[in-house]
Amino acid sequence: MTKDERTVYAFALRYALPRHTYALSIVSREILSRLNDFEDWELDGMIRDCWIYYPALDCGGDIDRRKADEFKNKLLAELVRRGRDDLLSRIKDEAERRGL
């Protein structure tokens, strides 16, 4: 997958997160099916996007929140698999600062 294609997926995720449709389910499934094609920093950005859009997900109900949490957790697991403790530590620190 090219850098441009990966960027389109990242933008699709940003579009899907605050909407209360099946978009998040579809986009997250497609990203997860191509995890090996994404750079570590891109996965890190997607995890952060899930946190940024959480306030919007409150209006969508538990299904949207649950789907975003599942997706974020799978991305975190992928960073663990890749041995990216440095990114995981930075993400954890930021989450603590934000009270997440």
Side-chain angles (χ1 to χ4, degrees):
M1 196 166 25
T2 68
K3 183 181 182 308
D4 290 340
E5 290 169 324
R6 294 190 317 266
T7 299
V8 168
Y9 278 101
F11 286 143
L13 176 64
R14 287 178 182 166
Y15 170 85
L17 276 167
R19 282 161 180 71
H20 310 300
T21 65
Y22 291 106
L24 179 56
S25 180
I26 294 166
V27 171
S28 64
R29 182 185 67 230
E30 292 302 316
I31 290 171
L32 292 172
S33 72
R34 295 166 173 80
L35 270 183
N36 291 332
D37 294 328
F38 288 95
E39 300 287 333
D40 298 344
W41 64 270
E42 292 168 319
L43 300 181
D44 176 71
M46 290 180 202
I47 291 166
R48 291 167 194 282
D49 287 343
C50 288
W51 281 334
I52 290 167
Y53 286 111
Y54 270 179
L57 294 177
D58 286 339
C59 299
D62 291 339
I63 293 172
D64 292 333
R65 168 77 71 158
R66 209 168 32 247
K67 180 50 90 175
D69 281 339
E70 289 171 10
F71 178 66
K72 176 181 62 77
N73 290 336
K74 288 177 182 178
L75 296 180
L76 287 168
E78 178 63 16
L79 289 179
V80 168
R81 187 189 72 74
R82 294 181 184 190
R84 290 306 308 263
D85 294 336
D86 57 324
L87 286 177
L88 293 166
S89 178
R90 201 172 79 216
I91 291 168
K92 180 182 173 195
D93 291 344
E94 184 174 336
E96 288 173 358
R97 275 195 318 274
R98 291 182 181 221
L100 303 171

